[in-house]
Amino acid sequence: MKNYKKKVAIAHKQHRQAHSKCCCCLRSEATQIHHTEYTYTNHEKLGINWFPLCDKCHHEVAHSSNNWIKNKADPVRKNKNTEDFKARLQLGFKLLYEGITW
């Protein structure tokens, strides 16, 4: 339970830092946290692997075949976003964190 509470606290902090906006479209209200990968290294680092996203961007963009790499050998822990999409989310988080909005 302690680990769960820690993750919830990190997710709330991430949302506050991004001003509760989606790091992908930079406009919509973020309603979910997206993991760019499920490995356990850097798993909880804000702006590295966890990003606030709106429902639409999470389901239609982050997990699209253009941005999501599926690993057939270990689909639970080895699926991940492309490096280009991960960089896009990191830039979105940085812009939102610095208060730049459209």
Side-chain angles (χ1 to χ4, degrees):
M1 184 62 120
K2 182 180 177 184
N3 196 24
Y4 173 77
K5 287 181 180 180
K6 180 181 176 185
K7 288 180 181 185
V8 168
I10 291 169
H12 284 295
K13 181 178 179 182
Q14 181 89 351
H15 273 270
R16 282 191 310 276
Q17 288 180 328
H19 303 282
S20 298
K21 296 288 184 191
C22 175
C23 290
C24 185
C25 69
L26 306 177
R27 291 185 180 102
S28 298
E29 178 184 353
T31 55
Q32 301 183 23
I33 289 286
H34 173 68
H35 297 79
T36 58
E37 60 183 279
Y38 294 105
T39 58
Y40 294 103
T41 57
N42 292 329
H43 189 67
E44 297 172 347
K45 291 201 174 184
L46 305 177
I48 305 269
N49 186 26
W50 286 22
F51 295 91
L53 296 182
C54 66
D55 289 337
K56 184 174 182 174
C57 287
H58 191 206
H59 296 290
E60 296 178 16
V61 182
H63 287 281
S64 74
S65 59
N66 292 332
N67 298 320
W68 191 247
I69 302 167
K70 292 184 179 182
N71 183 304
K72 292 179 183 178
D74 189 354
V76 174
R77 290 177 291 176
K78 300 276 176 134
N79 290 345
K80 63 182 181 177
N81 280 122
T82 63
E83 290 301 315
D84 286 344
F85 187 70
K86 190 174 174 180
R88 174 182 170 183
L89 292 179
Q90 288 171 336
L91 176 60
F93 180 77
K94 182 179 186 300
L95 291 171
L96 291 169
Y97 180 78
E98 292 174 355
I100 300 168
T101 58
W102 315 114

